[in-house]
Amino acid sequence: MQLRELGEFRLIERIKSKLSYSHRDIVKGIGDDACVTRIQTGKLLLSTTDTLIEDVHFDLGFISAHDLGKKSLAVNVSDIAAMGGEPRFFLLSLGIPSRISVKFIDQFVSGLSEAAQSFQTYAVGGDTSLSPERFVVSITVLGEALPSHAIYRDSANVGDQIFVTGYLGDSALGLKILKSRTNLSRVEERFRYLTERHNSPVPRVTEGRLIAENRIASAMIDISDGLISDLEHICRESMVGARIWLEKVPLSEAFQKYSKEFTENPTDLPLSGGEDYELLFTVDKFNVGDLERIKTEFQTKVTHIGEIVEKDNGVKVLRDSGQRYTVKKKGFDHFL
Ligand code: ADP
Ligand code: MG
């Protein structure tokens, strides 16, 4: 079915019917001029928004509508996780070109709804508009955190140890694999883990919450642009430098097995590839023991990859030999 057979208001009704759930904290959900939600007294409201634009952030040849729905919410939820918060509600704005079918929107919304349920995050509104050529998704997530639990980028200290969740570089390698094929159905089964790490990232909400509740981290960020680039954000805000031990950067088995096939520079992907959506955080050395204790509850591994040093040292990657390693490109920048 084409969108013109449905019209804007019936499309919104259709989206609403698949996304809205009643919740005691939603006083007024989708359907009024603004949504009305209750937030718990004493908590901070965390707000974040991210836009995904066709042919800039995704290529519909390489990601299914369902995965795109999941990913659009996941990348936003990841920002809340990186603050040590809990995602609560979200707003969904869509720019839809006329060539997009109603079936595509249905699949997109079903992926989104799956993600929303897994994070217990509720749709409370949005906006729907025609877009001239490209499909555009913009999601705003509202989350909350206790003031004592929120974790910022600006409070890393010299001597803090640097940790990262999961494996790095899988997503960037997955994207290279996708781009080497003519479409999604041409991706071999053996590469599926890597392409899924790109198309269906898992934001580390559980880990972020545990880190926050146990006050493990002095600073935290999610890796969206790339390890070095995002670590530089922490360092700039905190006015410190950092050392990363190259051989400690966690690489998945699949990454180690296949990266050489798809890139001339496999060392750089985990450092600057981006879209890992893993958590990068700094820990005072007296809290490292507490991290060891809580990490048993993590759904992924956590790896000690470096330390915070004086600002003058900048952000450096060192080999075991003590030699410095220089990345070709630090991370993603839209305008560079
Ligand atoms: P208004 O003209 O007041 O901006 P709209 O017609 O844009 O209202 O939207 C009507 C209702 O539907 C609002 O509650 C809005 O939040 C919701 N809505 C519109 N588009 C979406 C969408 N893509 N996803 C979720 N809710 C939506
Ligand atoms: Mg509107």
Side-chain angles (χ1 to χ4, degrees), residues 3-58:
L3 288 170
R4 80 178 96 79
E5 297 167 54
L6 206 60
E8 178 188 334
F9 300 105
R10 275 161 65 204
L11 179 66
I12 295 175
E13 274 308 313
R14 199 174 172 104
I15 294 173
K16 177 181 166 182
S17 70
K18 296 199 169 84
L19 277 184
S20 57
Y21 294 88
S22 58
H23 187 281
R24 63 190 145 81
D25 291 337
I26 303 177
V27 181
K28 199 70 172 168
I30 296 173
D32 213 313
D33 296 312
C35 71
V36 180
T37 51
R38 231 174 246 119
I39 49 171
Q40 288 179 41
T41 20
K43 286 204 172 172
L44 300 175
L45 175 67
L46 314 179
S47 317
T48 182
T49 189
D50 254 316
T51 302
L52 283 84
I53 300 175
E54 185 181 354
D55 296 341
V56 176
H57 300 92
F58 60 88

Side-chain angles (χ1 to χ4, degrees), residues 8 126-128:
E8 178 188 334
D127 195 29
T128 305

Side-chain angles (χ1 to χ4, degrees), residues 180-238:
S180 74
R181 302 297 186 261
T182 47
N183 63 54
L184 197 53
S185 60
R186 298 213 167 258
V187 176
E188 289 123 87
E189 203 45 50
R190 66 193 169 118
F191 298 137
R192 200 64 72 187
Y193 160 83
L194 293 163
T195 55
E196 269 183 21
R197 290 271 289 157
H198 183 77
N199 281 343
S200 184
V202 179
R204 303 303 182 187
V205 183
T206 308
E207 292 75 10
R209 184 176 49 76
L210 286 164
I211 290 167
E213 283 172 4
N214 291 283
R215 307 216 207 165
I216 300 293
S218 49
M220 186 151 72
I221 192 168
D222 68 323
I223 304 181
S224 50
D225 296 334
L227 171 64
I228 302 302
S229 180
D230 288 313
L231 180 57
E232 280 182 348
H233 292 316
I234 286 188
C235 288
R236 196 175 322 111
E237 297 294 316
S238 302

Side-chain angles (χ1 to χ4, degrees), residues 267-284:
T267 314
D268 276 11
L269 285 193
L271 299 175
S272 62
E275 289 217 72
D276 299 299
Y277 300 107
E278 295 296 346
L279 294 176
L280 173 67
F281 56 103
T282 57
V283 181
D284 183 296

